Amino acid sequence: MLHITNGDSAAGSLSQSGISGHVLSWRDVLHEGPVPAGLDLEALSLVRARFIAGEGWAAESTAPVMFEERDSLLRRAEAREDVVLWFEADLYDQLQLIQLLDWFSEHPARSLSLICIADHPAVRRFVGLGQLSPAQMADLFPKRQAVSAEQLNLGHEAWEAFRAPTPFPLVDILARDTAPLPFLAAALLRLLEDYPSMETGLGRTESQVLRALSRGAETFPAVFVASQDMESRPFMGDTTLWARIGMLATGPAPAVRFGTHVGVPKSGLPWQGIPLELTRFGQAYLEGTADLVRDHGIDRWIGGVHLSGYQVPWRWDRENNRIISR
């Protein structure tokens, strides 16, 4: 039996739970960096490995190996093994889930089942499977449900839409019945909210960072906690949020500065204690008197969509919850 889950914390609890089988940590932050269409699993993994190494989240020598080992274990499960998918309701997990459902829609396992939860009675504020003890993970195992043809089909179509070069295939997914994957619609909506807004050019994540600073947060831990509190289903880790803050601190009109520190501190430095400050540009972005894309520029992938430069073809209309063309 093969158990696939979202990261090392949940994988560790699973490994200690007494449930038989191998545990595979999927370990990809799919809401960050390029996820282009038209690539098979191995080719996409090379793209993802290069991105993750380029961000400093893994060494150049180890990132490709990590993906190769992961993909090899997945391929060995094909048709010969029972597979259990362990995931959560948030964006991070739902993107991993649709990637795996897309894979298994074309490479069936001997059996495929799913455990996907949004809360747990023993956890006051549930944010992830990693909060659960090995015994609590073991208690979930009998509640697994066989993955249906409808779930496989929706996962495949959503994965294709996520990798498309425009956001409109995702919009089409949201317009249809997504009940077979009950947490997918909210996750994809949260993804679309990170497109630059019509009013400010800020995506939701960047807006939350600047709002936290404007309300008195002065260090990265304080900004991280404040941003998490603004999410109904937190999905972003501290490393990825730090990268977003680094983006806000660069360019011709930076929204954030690191106290007296010159440049953008790297994660290898004691960056958690460095003061963060909102600049006059950041305040103007928040107030809508300036536009982050127009004044600062953008270079960001959202799935298969690459937003770059000082103009973008799509914006997020917050008032009407929709993507519009510019």
Side-chain angles (χ1 to χ4, degrees), residues 125-147:
R125 191 187 187 208
F126 179 80
V127 297
L129 291 167
Q131 294 173 287
L132 304 185
S133 68
Q136 289 167 335
M137 296 289 273
D139 288 343
L140 288 176
F141 184 60
K143 301 174 183 178
R144 67 194 184 279
Q145 298 289 324
V147 171

PDB file of all heavy atoms in Angstrom, residues 125-147:
ATOM      1  N   ARG A 125      -8.327  24.989  15.909  1.00  0.00           N
ATOM      2  CA  ARG A 125      -8.271  25.574  14.565  1.00  0.00           C
ATOM      3  C   ARG A 125      -7.419  24.666  13.687  1.00  0.00           C
ATOM      4  O   ARG A 125      -6.200  24.679  13.755  1.00  0.00           O
ATOM      5  CB  ARG A 125      -7.689  26.991  14.571  1.00  0.00           C
ATOM      6  CG  ARG A 125      -7.914  27.652  13.198  1.00  0.00           C
ATOM      7  CD  ARG A 125      -7.238  28.982  13.053  1.00  0.00           C
ATOM      8  NE  ARG A 125      -7.653  29.588  11.785  1.00  0.00           N
ATOM      9  CZ  ARG A 125      -6.914  30.446  11.098  1.00  0.00           C
ATOM     10  NH1 ARG A 125      -5.725  30.811  11.537  1.00  0.00           N
ATOM     11  NH2 ARG A 125      -7.358  30.955   9.964  1.00  0.00           N
ATOM     12  N   PHE A 126      -8.086  23.901  12.869  1.00  0.00           N
ATOM     13  CA  PHE A 126      -7.385  22.931  12.033  1.00  0.00           C
ATOM     14  C   PHE A 126      -6.766  23.641  10.836  1.00  0.00           C
ATOM     15  O   PHE A 126      -7.452  24.332  10.089  1.00  0.00           O
ATOM     16  CB  PHE A 126      -8.364  21.863  11.541  1.00  0.00           C
ATOM     17  CG  PHE A 126      -7.726  20.826  10.658  1.00  0.00           C
ATOM     18  CD1 PHE A 126      -7.013  19.777  11.215  1.00  0.00           C
ATOM     19  CD2 PHE A 126      -7.839  20.896   9.280  1.00  0.00           C
ATOM     20  CE1 PHE A 126      -6.422  18.816  10.409  1.00  0.00           C
ATOM     21  CE2 PHE A 126      -7.251  19.947   8.468  1.00  0.00           C
ATOM     22  CZ  PHE A 126      -6.540  18.902   9.034  1.00  0.00           C
ATOM     23  N   VAL A 127      -5.461  23.472  10.662  1.00  0.00           N
ATOM     24  CA  VAL A 127      -4.788  24.013   9.477  1.00  0.00           C
ATOM     25  C   VAL A 127      -4.042  22.942   8.704  1.00  0.00           C
ATOM     26  O   VAL A 127      -3.563  23.217   7.597  1.00  0.00           O
ATOM     27  CB  VAL A 127      -3.814  25.158   9.838  1.00  0.00           C
ATOM     28  CG1 VAL A 127      -4.557  26.342  10.432  1.00  0.00           C
ATOM     29  CG2 VAL A 127      -2.710  24.678  10.769  1.00  0.00           C
ATOM     30  N   GLY A 128      -3.957  21.715   9.241  1.00  0.00           N
ATOM     31  CA  GLY A 128      -3.267  20.703   8.459  1.00  0.00           C
ATOM     32  C   GLY A 128      -3.157  19.366   9.157  1.00  0.00           C
ATOM     33  O   GLY A 128      -3.232  19.263  10.387  1.00  0.00           O
ATOM     34  N   LEU A 129      -2.961  18.334   8.356  1.00  0.00           N
ATOM     35  CA  LEU A 129      -2.799  16.978   8.880  1.00  0.00           C
ATOM     36  C   LEU A 129      -1.589  16.869   9.792  1.00  0.00           C
ATOM     37  O   LEU A 129      -1.542  16.003  10.667  1.00  0.00           O
ATOM     38  CB  LEU A 129      -2.660  15.991   7.720  1.00  0.00           C
ATOM     39  CG  LEU A 129      -3.912  15.755   6.874  1.00  0.00           C
ATOM     40  CD1 LEU A 129      -3.556  15.016   5.588  1.00  0.00           C
ATOM     41  CD2 LEU A 129      -4.954  14.963   7.669  1.00  0.00           C
ATOM     42  N   GLY A 130      -0.606  17.738   9.589  1.00  0.00           N
ATOM     43  CA  GLY A 130       0.577  17.710  10.430  1.00  0.00           C
ATOM     44  C   GLY A 130       0.284  18.015  11.890  1.00  0.00           C
ATOM     45  O   GLY A 130       1.133  17.757  12.753  1.00  0.00           O
ATOM     46  N   GLN A 131      -0.887  18.566  12.183  1.00  0.00           N
ATOM     47  CA  GLN A 131      -1.277  18.817  13.584  1.00  0.00           C
ATOM     48  C   GLN A 131      -1.709  17.545  14.300  1.00  0.00           C
ATOM     49  O   GLN A 131      -1.807  17.534  15.528  1.00  0.00           O
ATOM     50  CB  GLN A 131      -2.435  19.815  13.643  1.00  0.00           C
ATOM     51  CG  GLN A 131      -2.105  21.219  13.164  1.00  0.00           C
ATOM     52  CD  GLN A 131      -3.364  22.076  13.096  1.00  0.00           C
ATOM     53  OE1 GLN A 131      -4.192  21.911  12.217  1.00  0.00           O
ATOM     54  NE2 GLN A 131      -3.485  23.001  14.044  1.00  0.00           N
ATOM     55  N   LEU A 132      -2.000  16.497  13.548  1.00  0.00           N
ATOM     56  CA  LEU A 132      -2.572  15.290  14.137  1.00  0.00           C
ATOM     57  C   LEU A 132      -1.482  14.341  14.618  1.00  0.00           C
ATOM     58  O   LEU A 132      -0.405  14.242  14.030  1.00  0.00           O
ATOM     59  CB  LEU A 132      -3.468  14.573  13.122  1.00  0.00           C
ATOM     60  CG  LEU A 132      -4.609  15.401  12.529  1.00  0.00           C
ATOM     61  CD1 LEU A 132      -5.479  14.521  11.639  1.00  0.00           C
ATOM     62  CD2 LEU A 132      -5.447  16.055  13.623  1.00  0.00           C
ATOM     63  N   SER A 133      -1.794  13.643  15.695  1.00  0.00           N
ATOM     64  CA  SER A 133      -0.876  12.637  16.227  1.00  0.00           C
ATOM     65  C   SER A 133      -0.945  11.375  15.368  1.00  0.00           C
ATOM     66  O   SER A 133      -1.901  11.184  14.588  1.00  0.00           O
ATOM     67  CB  SER A 133      -1.269  12.294  17.663  1.00  0.00           C
ATOM     68  OG  SER A 133      -2.524  11.607  17.670  1.00  0.00           O
ATOM     69  N   PRO A 134       0.027  10.490  15.500  1.00  0.00           N
ATOM     70  CA  PRO A 134      -0.061   9.215  14.774  1.00  0.00           C
ATOM     71  C   PRO A 134      -1.351   8.456  15.073  1.00  0.00           C
ATOM     72  O   PRO A 134      -1.951   7.863  14.163  1.00  0.00           O
ATOM     73  CB  PRO A 134       1.175   8.455  15.269  1.00  0.00           C
ATOM     74  CG  PRO A 134       2.168   9.536  15.578  1.00  0.00           C
ATOM     75  CD  PRO A 134       1.341  10.659  16.152  1.00  0.00           C
ATOM     76  N   ALA A 135      -1.799   8.489  16.324  1.00  0.00           N
ATOM     77  CA  ALA A 135      -3.041   7.779  16.667  1.00  0.00           C
ATOM     78  C   ALA A 135      -4.244   8.409  15.974  1.00  0.00           C
ATOM     79  O   ALA A 135      -5.159   7.703  15.516  1.00  0.00           O
ATOM     80  CB  ALA A 135      -3.235   7.781  18.181  1.00  0.00           C
ATOM     81  N   GLN A 136      -4.264   9.731  15.887  1.00  0.00           N
ATOM     82  CA  GLN A 136      -5.372  10.405  15.198  1.00  0.00           C
ATOM     83  C   GLN A 136      -5.349  10.124  13.704  1.00  0.00           C
ATOM     84  O   GLN A 136      -6.414   9.993  13.086  1.00  0.00           O
ATOM     85  CB  GLN A 136      -5.296  11.910  15.478  1.00  0.00           C
ATOM     86  CG  GLN A 136      -5.655  12.278  16.907  1.00  0.00           C
ATOM     87  CD  GLN A 136      -5.283  13.701  17.272  1.00  0.00           C
ATOM     88  OE1 GLN A 136      -4.378  14.300  16.681  1.00  0.00           O
ATOM     89  NE2 GLN A 136      -5.976  14.263  18.261  1.00  0.00           N
ATOM     90  N   MET A 137      -4.174  10.025  13.118  1.00  0.00           N
ATOM     91  CA  MET A 137      -4.084   9.631  11.704  1.00  0.00           C
ATOM     92  C   MET A 137      -4.615   8.217  11.525  1.00  0.00           C
ATOM     93  O   MET A 137      -5.365   7.935  10.574  1.00  0.00           O
ATOM     94  CB  MET A 137      -2.637   9.723  11.229  1.00  0.00           C
ATOM     95  CG  MET A 137      -2.050  11.127  11.245  1.00  0.00           C
ATOM     96  SD  MET A 137      -2.722  12.220   9.977  1.00  0.00           S
ATOM     97  CE  MET A 137      -1.642  11.835   8.604  1.00  0.00           C
ATOM     98  N   ALA A 138      -4.260   7.333  12.426  1.00  0.00           N
ATOM     99  CA  ALA A 138      -4.739   5.948  12.332  1.00  0.00           C
ATOM    100  C   ALA A 138      -6.258   5.890  12.419  1.00  0.00           C
ATOM    101  O   ALA A 138      -6.903   5.077  11.734  1.00  0.00           O
ATOM    102  CB  ALA A 138      -4.102   5.107  13.432  1.00  0.00           C
ATOM    103  N   ASP A 139      -6.865   6.749  13.230  1.00  0.00           N
ATOM    104  CA  ASP A 139      -8.325   6.771  13.361  1.00  0.00           C
ATOM    105  C   ASP A 139      -9.003   7.227  12.062  1.00  0.00           C
ATOM    106  O   ASP A 139     -10.158   6.869  11.808  1.00  0.00           O
ATOM    107  CB  ASP A 139      -8.741   7.702  14.494  1.00  0.00           C
ATOM    108  CG  ASP A 139      -8.427   7.131  15.871  1.00  0.00           C
ATOM    109  OD1 ASP A 139      -8.199   5.906  15.968  1.00  0.00           O
ATOM    110  OD2 ASP A 139      -8.371   7.916  16.841  1.00  0.00           O
ATOM    111  N   LEU A 140      -8.304   8.035  11.263  1.00  0.00           N
ATOM    112  CA  LEU A 140      -8.874   8.483   9.989  1.00  0.00           C
ATOM    113  C   LEU A 140      -8.875   7.385   8.930  1.00  0.00           C
ATOM    114  O   LEU A 140      -9.706   7.405   8.016  1.00  0.00           O
ATOM    115  CB  LEU A 140      -8.091   9.687   9.457  1.00  0.00           C
ATOM    116  CG  LEU A 140      -8.268  11.025  10.168  1.00  0.00           C
ATOM    117  CD1 LEU A 140      -7.328  12.069   9.551  1.00  0.00           C
ATOM    118  CD2 LEU A 140      -9.713  11.511  10.075  1.00  0.00           C
ATOM    119  N   PHE A 141      -7.947   6.468   9.037  1.00  0.00           N
ATOM    120  CA  PHE A 141      -7.736   5.495   7.960  1.00  0.00           C
ATOM    121  C   PHE A 141      -8.997   4.704   7.596  1.00  0.00           C
ATOM    122  O   PHE A 141      -9.313   4.552   6.406  1.00  0.00           O
ATOM    123  CB  PHE A 141      -6.592   4.552   8.345  1.00  0.00           C
ATOM    124  CG  PHE A 141      -6.221   3.573   7.275  1.00  0.00           C
ATOM    125  CD1 PHE A 141      -5.773   3.998   6.031  1.00  0.00           C
ATOM    126  CD2 PHE A 141      -6.325   2.201   7.518  1.00  0.00           C
ATOM    127  CE1 PHE A 141      -5.423   3.088   5.042  1.00  0.00           C
ATOM    128  CE2 PHE A 141      -5.989   1.286   6.536  1.00  0.00           C
ATOM    129  CZ  PHE A 141      -5.530   1.734   5.293  1.00  0.00           C
ATOM    130  N   PRO A 142      -9.777   4.204   8.555  1.00  0.00           N
ATOM    131  CA  PRO A 142     -10.990   3.462   8.174  1.00  0.00           C
ATOM    132  C   PRO A 142     -12.047   4.315   7.487  1.00  0.00           C
ATOM    133  O   PRO A 142     -12.996   3.769   6.893  1.00  0.00           O
ATOM    134  CB  PRO A 142     -11.515   2.929   9.517  1.00  0.00           C
ATOM    135  CG  PRO A 142     -10.356   2.995  10.452  1.00  0.00           C
ATOM    136  CD  PRO A 142      -9.561   4.180  10.013  1.00  0.00           C
ATOM    137  N   LYS A 143     -11.913   5.637   7.540  1.00  0.00           N
ATOM    138  CA  LYS A 143     -12.905   6.535   6.944  1.00  0.00           C
ATOM    139  C   LYS A 143     -12.597   6.878   5.486  1.00  0.00           C
ATOM    140  O   LYS A 143     -13.321   7.667   4.871  1.00  0.00           O
ATOM    141  CB  LYS A 143     -12.991   7.822   7.771  1.00  0.00           C
ATOM    142  CG  LYS A 143     -13.383   7.567   9.224  1.00  0.00           C
ATOM    143  CD  LYS A 143     -13.330   8.840  10.060  1.00  0.00           C
ATOM    144  CE  LYS A 143     -13.644   8.538  11.519  1.00  0.00           C
ATOM    145  NZ  LYS A 143     -13.564   9.735  12.381  1.00  0.00           N
ATOM    146  N   ARG A 144     -11.558   6.284   4.945  1.00  0.00           N
ATOM    147  CA  ARG A 144     -11.212   6.565   3.546  1.00  0.00           C
ATOM    148  C   ARG A 144     -12.327   6.116   2.623  1.00  0.00           C
ATOM    149  O   ARG A 144     -13.049   5.163   2.918  1.00  0.00           O
ATOM    150  CB  ARG A 144      -9.899   5.873   3.184  1.00  0.00           C
ATOM    151  CG  ARG A 144      -9.957   4.351   3.172  1.00  0.00           C
ATOM    152  CD  ARG A 144      -8.551   3.757   3.152  1.00  0.00           C
ATOM    153  NE  ARG A 144      -8.572   2.300   3.050  1.00  0.00           N
ATOM    154  CZ  ARG A 144      -8.768   1.475   4.056  1.00  0.00           C
ATOM    155  NH1 ARG A 144      -8.999   1.950   5.285  1.00  0.00           N
ATOM    156  NH2 ARG A 144      -8.754   0.162   3.872  1.00  0.00           N
ATOM    157  N   GLN A 145     -12.476   6.860   1.516  1.00  0.00           N
ATOM    158  CA  GLN A 145     -13.523   6.564   0.536  1.00  0.00           C
ATOM    159  C   GLN A 145     -12.881   6.273  -0.821  1.00  0.00           C
ATOM    160  O   GLN A 145     -11.904   6.929  -1.199  1.00  0.00           O
ATOM    161  CB  GLN A 145     -14.466   7.764   0.402  1.00  0.00           C
ATOM    162  CG  GLN A 145     -15.200   8.124   1.673  1.00  0.00           C
ATOM    163  CD  GLN A 145     -16.270   7.115   2.048  1.00  0.00           C
ATOM    164  OE1 GLN A 145     -16.934   6.551   1.176  1.00  0.00           O
ATOM    165  NE2 GLN A 145     -16.426   6.863   3.343  1.00  0.00           N
ATOM    166  N   ALA A 146     -13.442   5.328  -1.527  1.00  0.00           N
ATOM    167  CA  ALA A 146     -12.945   5.021  -2.867  1.00  0.00           C
ATOM    168  C   ALA A 146     -13.107   6.246  -3.759  1.00  0.00           C
ATOM    169  O   ALA A 146     -14.146   6.921  -3.735  1.00  0.00           O
ATOM    170  CB  ALA A 146     -13.695   3.836  -3.454  1.00  0.00           C
ATOM    171  N   VAL A 147     -12.089   6.560  -4.535  1.00  0.00           N
ATOM    172  CA  VAL A 147     -12.157   7.681  -5.465  1.00  0.00           C
ATOM    173  C   VAL A 147     -13.060   7.301  -6.629  1.00  0.00           C
ATOM    174  O   VAL A 147     -12.913   6.235  -7.235  1.00  0.00           O
ATOM    175  CB  VAL A 147     -10.744   8.054  -5.965  1.00  0.00           C
ATOM    176  CG1 VAL A 147     -10.820   9.078  -7.094  1.00  0.00           C
ATOM    177  CG2 VAL A 147      -9.916   8.596  -4.807  1.00  0.00           C
TER     178      VAL A 147
END
